Amino acid sequence: MIALLRYLLFPFSIIYGFAVWIRNRLYDLKLLKSKSFDVPTIVIGNLSVGGTGKSPMTEFVVTSLKDQYKTAILSRGYGRKTSGFYFVQTDSSANEVGDEPLQFKNKFPKLTVAVCEDRCTGIEKLRLDHELIILDDAYQHRKLSPLFNILLFDFLSFSHPMFVFPAGNFRDLLIEAKRAQIITITKCPIDLSIEERKRIENKIRHYNKRALITFSYIDYFEPIHSEGASVDIDKKDIILVTGIAKPQPLVDYIKKKANLIKHISFEDHHSFSESDVNQITKSYLSLASSNKILLTTEKDLQRLKPFKKQLADIELVYLPIGIQFHDPKQKALFEKMLHDTVSQSVNQP
């Protein structure tokens, strides 16, 4: 049924794809203006809709550079109920600033984190006080001409036709991969074969001949209680709550570590309501087990924080994630490219 629907929607994808192509060519021909800045800017983004691992990649890049340069993270703040420019504070709410920026601020409390839907406006407000600005999810923001582009593809996206909306899940054309200096395939199997890497590389090389191509997988860190203590989830009874784009890798991981009783899934960036929390609480309390926990993601935790009182009697635990590269040499080259590019820009006379 879904395949038939996608087939029926394909003519609309042609129209959408043509409109996107025209827009990008207008920027390439400088008929639409892109703005560059004297402060180094690194964009992390994708061509598809969500679920490619931008947050852990942003955290990886920030960790690599923040000790050398006064760094700011600038995000759109997807899902927030405000507009304009905001500085994110550790006690901000996800409704004010978005869940991912709030996660960044709590992970890097000394770092400047800001949100602004107009990235150029955001950079203008940050550039005088910072040496480097890292932009989360700004690859399609062609009004900005960044110093460096990091483009992410979810591994599973190479198993399906890469169509644009509405027949497919891509919001931009594959040809736009040509603007990236680094392309990382995320959420790969840990045992990804050399043959599979070469197949994906060959496909990407049709659109980008020069970018560094790297392969990474999700690294699940030690679970943490919402109050801060580490938690061992092995063999525990788990009720999992997610509001992320592609939760299946997490579900698979939990099944290997613990007894997954129930998965309560919401759409990506879902704004939890009191009714949702009541449903979650009811599911947890109805589980007859003395060895149970409610597990969620670090991003979802940011949106559950306003319901701290309702969840007070629940063992609420979140699972931080990061990225690991399949090839340590690729990781070293990735970081060297970042450092060399930023250093050259900062030290320009």
Side-chain angles (χ1 to χ4, degrees):
M1 183 64 184
I2 294 177
L4 175 61
L5 181 60
R6 287 182 182 273
Y7 177 78
L8 294 174
L9 291 172
F10 188 71
F12 297 98
S13 286
I14 294 175
I15 296 170
Y16 174 85
F18 182 68
V20 170
W21 184 86
I22 289 292
R23 174 180 178 270
N24 280 306
R25 299 296 74 75
L26 290 175
Y27 276 107
D28 290 344
L29 294 170
K30 303 189 186 306
L31 296 174
L32 291 177
K33 300 298 182 183
S34 294
K35 188 172 183 178
S36 58
F37 292 86
D38 52 1
V39 61
T41 50
I42 297 175
V43 160
I44 299 166
N46 55 16
L47 300 179
S48 62
V49 183
T52 56
K54 293 186 300 294
S55 293
M57 176 59 78
T58 300
E59 292 173 1
F60 170 77
V61 172
V62 168
T63 300
S64 181
L65 294 167
K66 67 181 178 63
D67 293 335
Q68 286 80 23
Y69 306 100
K70 187 177 181 184
T71 302
I73 302 174
L74 178 62
S75 178
R76 174 187 172 187
Y78 188 86
R80 65 186 173 124
K81 301 186 185 303
T82 60
S83 60
F85 181 89
Y86 274 81
F87 282 110
V88 182
Q89 309 298 333
T90 54
D91 60 351
S92 296
S93 72
N95 282 339
E96 292 173 324
V97 299
D99 50 14
E100 289 165 344
L102 186 56
Q103 176 180 319
F104 297 148
K105 185 62 179 179
N106 280 287
K107 186 156 285 187
F108 307 105
K110 294 182 180 180
L111 216 67
T112 299
V113 180
V115 293
C116 190
E117 57 271 28
D118 187 320
R119 306 308 200 283
C120 291
T121 297
I123 293 171
E124 284 286 0
K125 292 181 179 294
L126 294 169
R127 67 183 185 86
L128 295 180
D129 297 320
H130 297 87
E131 298 174 302
L132 171 65
I133 300 175
I134 297 171
L135 296 104
D136 170 53
D137 196 16
Y139 199 81
Q140 280 77 37
H141 203 82
R142 294 297 305 270
K143 290 181 180 180
L144 169 66
S145 178
L147 174 70
F148 202 87
N149 277 305
I150 300 170
L151 180 62
L152 309 182
F153 286 94
D154 173 14
F155 171 77
L156 288 178
S157 66
F158 289 91
S159 302
H160 309 284
M162 293 171 145
F163 296 143
V164 295
F165 289 139
N169 296 323
F170 278 69
R171 50 182 171 172
D172 214 334
L173 301 167
L174 281 174
I175 191 175
E176 297 311 315
K178 68 183 181 180
R179 294 187 277 118
Q181 284 75 35
I182 294 178
I183 297 174
T184 296
I185 316 305
T186 63
K187 301 186 178 181
C188 298
I190 295 178
D191 57 351
L192 182 67
S193 68
I194 297 297
E195 292 73 22
E196 188 68 4
R197 292 188 209 182
K198 288 181 178 178
R199 181 187 72 84
I200 293 173
E201 284 185 16
N202 289 337
K203 183 162 189 174
I204 292 172
R205 289 302 179 204
H206 287 299
Y207 307 100
N208 190 317
K209 305 293 185 185
R210 58 184 174 80
L212 170 67
I213 300 175
T214 65
F215 294 84
S216 70
Y217 58 91
I218 297 173
D219 189 14
Y220 294 97
F221 299 147
E222 192 172 36
I224 301 174
H225 195 281
S226 57
E227 298 299 324
S230 298
V231 177
D232 183 2
I233 66 169
D234 285 5
K235 300 180 181 178
K236 288 190 181 293
D237 295 325
I238 304 290
I239 291 179
L240 177 65
V241 176
T242 63
I244 58 177
K246 297 172 183 176
Q248 193 58 46
L250 174 59
V251 171
D252 294 340
Y253 173 79
I254 297 303
K255 286 181 177 179
K256 293 176 183 178
K257 298 280 290 183
N259 183 24
L260 180 59
I261 302 295
K262 186 175 184 179
H263 177 204
I264 305 173
S265 179
F266 298 90
E267 64 182 9
D268 195 19
H269 300 284
H270 177 74
S271 181
F272 292 108
S273 66
E274 190 168 333
S275 174
D276 296 330
V277 175
N278 287 338
Q279 174 197 350
I280 293 166
T281 303
K282 184 178 179 180
S283 294
Y284 178 84
L285 295 177
S286 65
L287 177 59
S289 170
S290 60
N291 193 34
K292 61 185 178 181
I293 61 172
L294 182 69
L295 185 67
T296 192
T297 70
E298 192 169 10
K299 186 170 80 168
D300 289 311
L301 180 71
Q302 313 307 318
R303 286 177 273 113
L304 286 170
K305 284 180 178 179
F307 303 96
K308 188 174 181 179
K309 288 184 178 179
Q310 291 96 314
L311 298 169
D313 296 327
I314 289 178
E315 289 294 312
L316 178 59
V317 176
Y318 69 93
L319 186 65
I321 64 171
I323 60 169
Q324 289 289 345
F325 292 86
H326 287 77
D327 186 342
K329 293 181 180 178
Q330 284 188 342
K331 176 184 177 183
L333 186 53
F334 186 120
E335 292 192 284
K336 185 177 188 302
M337 287 180 67
L338 285 179
H339 284 269
D340 288 351
T341 303
V342 176
S343 176
Q344 290 170 12
S345 178
V346 169
N347 293 323
Q348 277 184 351

